[in-house]
Amino acid sequence: MYKKKKILAIVPARKGSKGVKNKNLKKINGFSLIAYACKLLSEISHVDLIMISTDSDRMGKEGISNGADYFLKRPKRLAGDRVGDYDVLKHALTKAEKEKNTKFDIVLMIQPTCPLRKKNHVISTYKKLIDENLDSVWTISKIDLKFHPYKLLKISKNKLFFLSRVGKDIVARQQLNDLYYRNGAAYAFSRDCIMKQKKILGKDSGSILIEEELINIDTKNDILKINKIIRR
């Protein structure tokens, strides 16, 4: 609990993954991705309940053995690769409140696929949400201007084009505004954002800019990269 706000942390971990089979159980430096997420959360005293939302008993038990309080088995309709974060969060929040007979004010989403996150990334996210009375806060990273959308290209009918019509007019970096992407380290939401606004980017949203290197695991190559970073 932080400033009398009860906090539910949800770790979404389905078993299906097209890029890496059983991705959330893959090990980095001896620990599974689920273990990294749960161990970190268990070290944060403000978190009142750590829940694994999964379609796999194996992943659920992995979470429990590494600090999660319990795991929630998802229905099949929430186990596919086209299911959005909002549906998973609403289902988990509703079930947690019913089973624990309590009401949570804040929901954290901590995805296992960002094992390089740090404890302060998570803490600063929910503190900003509560201190500034926001609906949602996401951690973000700045896009290198070399990869700005105005500089992106596409191939159509074997010919090369700018993705945006504006692209042909860009000749200097100074013409480009900074842009950002969500890096997956942490998300925080008010209960109303999930239950009433029914979205994960609320009306009043904030961000935590992270400058450290973070990698979201989608491929086997990402795992190799992270192992190199940890060894370094």
Side-chain angles (χ1 to χ4, degrees):
M1 190 177 292
Y2 175 69
K3 292 189 175 179
K4 298 183 179 180
K5 301 289 186 182
K6 191 170 286 190
I7 299 174
L8 168 67
I10 299 171
V11 180
R14 67 183 185 86
K15 63 183 177 182
S17 175
K18 292 182 179 179
V20 181
K21 187 177 180 180
N22 287 324
K23 176 172 61 178
N24 293 313
L25 291 172
K26 293 299 180 185
K27 292 190 175 181
I28 303 290
N29 198 32
F31 295 97
S32 71
L33 296 182
I34 290 176
Y36 271 97
C38 292
K39 284 178 179 294
L40 181 144
L41 285 169
S42 67
E43 294 174 0
I44 301 176
S45 60
H46 293 137
V47 173
D48 297 282
L49 188 72
I50 304 170
M51 169 199 279
I52 307 291
S53 170
T54 184
D55 56 344
S56 162
D57 289 334
R58 184 182 172 193
M59 291 190 184
K61 292 174 182 177
E62 176 72 4
I64 297 296
S65 65
N66 285 283
D69 295 299
Y70 83 113
F71 75 90
L72 174 69
K73 198 74 176 289
R74 295 186 203 176
K76 287 186 178 180
R77 63 182 177 83
L78 294 178
D81 57 4
R82 296 292 181 91
V83 178
D85 293 328
Y86 166 75
D87 294 312
V88 172
L89 293 174
K90 183 182 178 183
H91 174 259
L93 173 59
T94 301
K95 289 291 185 180
E97 291 188 334
K98 182 177 180 180
E99 292 181 15
K100 300 302 178 180
N101 192 30
T102 190
K103 182 178 179 180
F104 293 97
D105 304 289
I106 306 299
V107 176
L108 294 179
M109 180 169 68
I110 303 298
Q111 297 165 319
T113 48
C114 186
L116 296 179
R117 73 167 59 86
K118 297 178 181 177
K119 192 159 58 173
N120 67 290
H121 297 156
V122 178
I123 293 172
S124 60
T125 301
Y126 68 74
K127 281 190 173 181
K128 184 180 181 75
L129 181 90
I130 294 170
D131 292 344
E132 299 183 19
N133 195 29
L134 298 172
D135 297 315
S136 58
V137 175
W138 297 7
T139 57
I140 59 172
S141 297
K142 188 181 293 186
I143 290 177
D144 188 321
L145 290 180
K146 292 193 294 291
F147 306 112
H148 193 284
Y150 288 168
K151 301 189 79 172
L152 296 182
L153 304 168
K154 64 179 180 179
I155 297 176
S156 179
K157 296 180 180 179
N158 215 28
K159 293 184 179 180
L160 192 65
F161 298 91
F162 281 107
L163 180 64
S164 168
R165 292 180 181 179
V166 181
K168 62 183 177 60
D169 299 318
I170 302 299
V171 296
R173 293 166 62 92
Q174 290 74 19
Q175 293 175 268
L176 302 172
N177 295 321
D178 286 330
L179 293 176
Y180 307 87
Y181 64 93
R182 51 179 175 173
N183 53 40
Y187 301 82
F189 316 97
S190 67
R191 186 182 187 279
D192 282 354
C193 188
I194 301 297
M195 302 303 287
K196 293 185 178 180
Q197 295 185 34
K198 299 184 178 181
K199 58 180 69 174
I200 62 171
L201 188 62
K203 294 177 182 177
D204 294 316
S205 295
S207 62
I208 298 294
L209 178 62
I210 296 176
E211 297 182 354
E212 297 102 316
E213 184 175 12
L214 294 175
I215 295 176
N216 255 293
I217 295 179
D218 291 312
T219 66
K220 292 180 179 179
N221 191 46
D222 293 330
I223 295 176
L224 294 175
K225 288 179 183 177
I226 288 181
N227 273 315
K228 287 181 180 179
I229 291 171
I230 290 176
R231 285 197 296 268
R232 189 168 70 227

